[in-house]
Amino acid sequence: MEPLIASRSPSNAPGLTRVRHRVLAMTMVLGAITYLDRVTISVTRPDVARDLNLSATQMGYVFSAFYFAYALFEIPTGWWGDRVGTRRVLTRIVCWWSTFTVLTGAAFSYSSLVVIRFLFGAGEAGALPNAARTFSRWFPRQERGTAQGIFFMSMHLAGGLTPLLVTALLAFFSWRSLFMMFGSLGFVWAAAWYRWFRDAPAEHPGVGTSERELIESGLGANTGFALDATEWKRLLWNRTVVCLCLMYFTQAFGGAFYVTWLPTYLATRGLTGMTAGILAGLPLILSSAADLLGGVATDRAVRRFGLRLGRTSIGGGALAAAGVFTIAGAFVASPVAAALLIALGGGSSNFLLGAAWGSCVDIGRRRSGAVSAATNTSGQVGSILSPILVAQVVQLFSQWSALLYVTGVLFLLGALCWLWVDPTKPVSD
């Protein structure tokens, strides 16, 4: 990336530039670090539980502490990005969560681990809405679904490879050392982001005239910061926002299982070692491909069928497929076949992300950070409940299949929510 040159103005930049692609590359690194830090604790869970003497139920609450704080601070941080811009807000977010990733390696008891993971979640909250806000300022509408898909691809690819990486590194390092190593990466990203990024293309010295005109011509009314008061009642009671929130609850409920308890589930089915590591990461690896393909698919569908059908057909179809695959996984006797079906369900559930977050930007416009945060907050409620419910089901019934049935049905209900989503009607002008 080129360093900023103070004496160079935007008007002097070459006409044919691709600065927005560099912005996307920076957010891809952000997404990768997000899941690297988040997934590590699920793979190191046996070592963490052994050293801190934690039960399965206690680990469930440790997992949920992160998601609870994430949900609690998601809307305020998304709103903050709308107000002051994502350059400063994302820098603060990454520095905060990196600090508590490092401190996770210093946990000495159940209580300390819960507090640290809670503060970790509070720090990471708002990362995705602010990334969406960044795309709303830097990408024209016809490219947003693809940009969102590529962003989530980086997240899930990193999450899918993390079990393999952590399994290999545990042979040489303790779990405490891994958290300290991974947490340090975020500080490097934050310094680079704050130095190079600008909140709008017009403020960046590297953006040429042609690129600026392309971006601004596709923004519509989505210009400027939302400095006037946000009409929260109008926003949160909008039918499309409500349906996006309900849909995302079901998607995130299943997603939390892949990130937290899937390695443990595979162990109960007799899968261990690198085989288990590969299968544990497979849902997120497939999701990385689904993210990109889903983002491209929704943009192409929008161009061919219009904005509403282009978003809803991809979103609803993806969740319907996820429900079918997940329920099918409960019926097969082979643990490998079950893991493959679960992975297909995970990939299908993430095929919708370009459509979902694209819809948030479509209807949110200047308040896309707030709309994205509201949607993601509802998802985090599902993420909070998922780890705890898994632990309770295992403790009471010793039946992992029950969770697959619940998750599959929720996916199908989420698919129905897309029938009432209309991204052509913005919540603000």
Side-chain angles (χ1 to χ4, degrees), residues 60-327:
Y61 282 103
V62 168
F63 291 144
S64 292
F66 167 87
Y67 291 112
F68 178 72
Y70 197 108
L72 192 64
F73 289 93
E74 183 81 337
I75 290 178
T77 313
W79 169 83
W80 188 24
D82 284 342
R83 299 281 290 185
V84 305
T86 58
R87 179 177 179 234
R88 285 186 286 172
V89 174
L90 280 175
T91 301
R92 194 281 302 165
I93 287 173
V94 176
C95 287
W96 180 292
W97 104 49
S98 297
T99 297
F100 286 96
T101 299
V102 171
L103 289 176
T104 300
F108 55 86
S109 66
Y110 168 60
S111 298
S112 68
L113 186 58
V114 169
V115 170
I116 289 170
R117 297 302 290 184
F118 177 88
L119 293 173
F120 179 179
E124 190 171 316
L128 303 192
N130 277 281
R133 171 68 180 178
T134 298
F135 296 146
S136 77
R137 300 298 304 281
W138 275 89
F139 286 86
R141 175 176 290 174
Q142 64 269 24
E143 296 181 359
R144 289 175 191 161
T146 301
Q148 289 284 176
I150 293 173
F151 171 67
F152 282 105
M153 177 190 69
S154 67
M155 291 177 57
H156 292 134
L157 183 60
L161 296 177
T162 295
L164 293 175
L165 177 63
V166 173
T167 300
L169 291 178
L170 282 174
F172 305 97
F173 302 97
S174 69
W175 63 271
R176 296 182 184 276
S177 297
L178 291 184
F179 280 105
M180 294 179 184
M181 291 165 54
F182 293 160
S184 299
L185 297 175
F187 296 113
V188 177
W189 183 93
W193 175 260
Y194 188 79
R195 181 171 181 265
W196 179 81
F197 179 72
R198 293 297 180 265
D199 287 313
E203 300 171 2
H204 199 292
V207 177
T209 303
S210 296
E211 183 177 23
R212 180 178 173 181
E213 291 176 352
L214 171 65
I215 295 171
E216 292 180 350
S217 67
L219 296 183
N222 186 34
T223 58
F225 291 114
L227 297 178
D228 52 321
T230 300
E231 299 179 46
W232 287 105
K233 183 177 181 180
R234 179 183 176 186
L235 187 153
L236 295 177
W237 286 103
N238 177 274
R239 185 185 70 178
T240 293
V241 174
V242 170
C243 290
L244 285 172
C245 288
L246 292 174
M247 171 278 302
Y248 213 62
F249 171 92
T250 71
Q251 193 272 351
F253 184 96
F257 170 70
Y258 309 131
V259 175
T260 56
W261 284 109
L262 183 57
T264 303
Y265 165 70
L266 296 177
T268 65
R269 297 295 302 267
L271 298 171
T272 58
M274 292 304 294
T275 299
I278 293 172
L279 291 174
L282 190 57
L284 294 179
I285 291 174
L286 293 182
S287 293
S288 67
D291 296 333
L292 176 59
L293 295 175
V296 173
T298 188
D299 279 347
R300 289 187 176 181
V302 166
R303 289 193 290 269
R304 183 169 183 179
F305 303 112
L307 183 59
R308 182 172 186 176
L309 188 58
R311 298 290 191 228
T312 59
S313 61
I314 299 299
L319 270 185
V324 171
F325 282 126
T326 302
I327 293 173

Side-chain angles (χ1 to χ4, degrees), residues 366-407:
R366 290 183 299 130
R367 292 176 175 81
S368 56
V371 174
S372 300
T375 302
N376 205 33
T377 295
S378 67
Q380 299 318 306
V381 174
S383 299
I384 293 167
L385 295 177
S386 180
I388 298 174
L389 181 60
V390 170
Q392 294 298 321
V393 167
V394 172
Q395 184 177 4
L396 294 176
F397 304 106
S398 298
Q399 292 260 356
W400 286 92
S401 60
L403 178 69
L404 298 182
Y405 293 133
V406 171
T407 303

